[in-house]
């Protein structure tokens, strides 16, 4: 089997990169090199390098596992991107990643990479739970495991904010300039959040550093979108079929891709527009649209779909009853949005349903169901709270809330257990156990989780009245029965 690094021998089906990778030095450190990064930012960077050159290759960082480094480093960071829709598969070789560091093996190498004079941007995809955001205050959660660890040993960090602050401190100590920190996670105003968490952490370590960061580091927000399931044996088999190379770093994704970025960079940026990125002055309307319409519907389909026996999003959205509930929620969520420049929201919603229905992508409902307490606030609870504040109806969002609560039981309708996979599961489990299968008690137990429901939601009688009967129906008739009863 040929190795992927032998670019000259790449099979005809996959074209070689449109640039000489080794001729471009690294300029970006990316924290969280998972499937999403490989299907999104790395692809835009690959396009930018081909179109405009520059020293913008990527040094990837894995905060936990050594798997990505083990797969990518032996093949010089290259991998096959498989794009799937019902018309067939495409494949492309991506060469923008230079190398991958494994933080737990060598945290100092990560700090050194951020503090390298060549580094001008640090991009991030660590998922919502990686930030250490206290939802109640909007600031740093000092009880977050990685934050607590890193505050206790700022020289040897383990988490996102600790690494950013240690790397920036090292830049300042070396007399280097600032850089841009670009969050690419599904959080509203992700740049603003990152700036605040980094600023608060830095102030606790060294007040002078916090002032230096405020003066020298930019934190633009960005909205990212590409449906990217976890890679499986099928991904690897198809990458090999399409490219002629065994590649256990291959990743699969849908054809659609979107990246909207605030054009506010401290030290330049790649020509990401070559890959289709849109640069704007303020990204908030795009982020809200995506979080509330795409991700909010995803979460509904994940909880209700998983419990109704649908393994994938495509199956869930093709269930006519669930599809109707999803359409209703999308319509109500769209009504909370400000106008989004250049976007027709009806068209966007229709496109989303078509993307969800793509059967060539096996996006597991169980994958999306994880980390519910980190996802619900911006996806479901925020548009719900705004709707109630305007005197609107809670009903269109109530099914998603009830389905998440039902999911928190950790056992399916046939009695089969599953792992909740939520950072707050140790808080959730005793509450759920105490409430039993009593819908009203379950509602109280979960709506009062600290920092989850905003006070006005937790106190809303209208919301309770909309959710509790649905939850009772789910418990009594099963999820499939509850969906059928909505028709
Ligand atoms: C999904 C997202 O796993 C999830 O929670 O909703 O990963 C979603 O697929 C992406 O945001 C699409 O851009």
């Amino acid at each position: 089997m040929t190795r992927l690094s032998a670019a000259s021998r790449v099979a005809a089906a996959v074209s070689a990169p449109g640039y000489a990778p080794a001729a471009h030095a690294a300029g970006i450190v990316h924290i969280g090199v998972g499937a999403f990064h490989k299907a999104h930012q790395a692809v835009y960077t690959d396009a930018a390098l081909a179109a405009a050159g520059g020293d913008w290759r990527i040094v990837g960082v894995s905060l936990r596992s050594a798997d990505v480094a083990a797969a990518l480093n032996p093949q010089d960071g290259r991998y096959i991107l498989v794009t799937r829709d019902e018309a067939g598969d495409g494949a492309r070789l991506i060469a923008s990643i230079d190398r991958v560091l494994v933080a737990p093996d060598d945290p100092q190498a990560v700090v050194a990479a951020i503090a390298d004079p060549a580094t001008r941007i640090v991009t991030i995809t660590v998922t919502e739970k990686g930030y250490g955001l206290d939802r109640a205050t909007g600031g740093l959660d000092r009880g977050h495991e990685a934050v607590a660890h890193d505050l206790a040993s700022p020289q040897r960090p383990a988490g996102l904010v600790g690494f950013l602050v240690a790397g920036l401190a090292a830049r300042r100590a070396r007399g280097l300039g600032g850089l841009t920190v670009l969050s690419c996670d599904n959080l509203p105003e992700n740049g603003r959040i990152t700036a605040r968490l980094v600023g608060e952490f830095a102030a606790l370590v060294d007040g002078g550093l916090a002032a230096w960061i405020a003066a020298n580091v930019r934190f633009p927000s960005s909205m990212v979108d590409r449906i990217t399931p976890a890679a499986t044996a099928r991904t690897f088999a198809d990458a090999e079929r399409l490219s002629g190379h065994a590649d256990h770093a291959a990743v699969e994704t849908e054809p659609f891709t979107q990246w909207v970025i605030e054009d506010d960079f401290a030290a330049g940026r790649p020509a990401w527009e070559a890959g289709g990125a849109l640069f704007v002055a303020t990204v908030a309307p795009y982020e809200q649209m995506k979080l509330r319409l795409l991700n909010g519907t995803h979460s509904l389909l994940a909880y209700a779909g998983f419990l109704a026996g649908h393994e994938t999003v495509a199956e869930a959205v093709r269930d006519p009853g669930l599809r109707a509930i999803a359409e209703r929620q999308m319509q109500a969520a769209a009504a909370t949005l400000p106008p989004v420049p250049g976007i027709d929201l009806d068209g966007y919603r229709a496109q989303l349903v078509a993307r969800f229905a793509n059967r060539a992508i096996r996006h597991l409902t169980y994958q999306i169901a994880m980390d519910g307490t980190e996802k619900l606030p911006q996806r479901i609870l925020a548009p719900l709270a705004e709707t109630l504040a305007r005197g609107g109806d809670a009903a269109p969002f109530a099914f998603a809330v009830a389905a998440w609560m039902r999911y928190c039981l950790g056992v399916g309708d046939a009695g089969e257990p599953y792992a909740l996979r939520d950072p707050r599961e140790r808080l959730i489990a005793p509450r759920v156990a105490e409430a039993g299968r009593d819908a009203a008690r379950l509602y109280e137990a979960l709506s009062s989780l600290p920092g989850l429901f905003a006070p006005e939601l937790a106190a809303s009688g209208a919301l309770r009245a909309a959710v509790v009967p649905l939850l009772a129906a789910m418990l009594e008739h099963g999820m499939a029965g509850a969906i059928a009863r909505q028709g």
Side-chain angles (χ1 to χ4, degrees), residues 384 388 393-399 401-402 443 460-472 486:
L384 170 56
L388 287 176
D393 186 4
F397 300 99
F399 205 89
V401 175
Y443 181 85
S460 165
L463 181 57
R464 182 182 299 105
V467 174
V468 170
L470 289 172
L471 191 47
Q486 286 289 290

Side-chain angles (χ1 to χ4, degrees), residues 352-372:
L352 282 182
V353 173
R355 290 171 63 196
F356 293 154
N358 176 359
R359 267 186 290 220
I361 293 278
R362 288 187 49 78
H363 201 184
L364 301 185
T365 47
Y366 186 57
Q367 181 186 339
I368 299 167
M370 78 187 297
D371 296 345

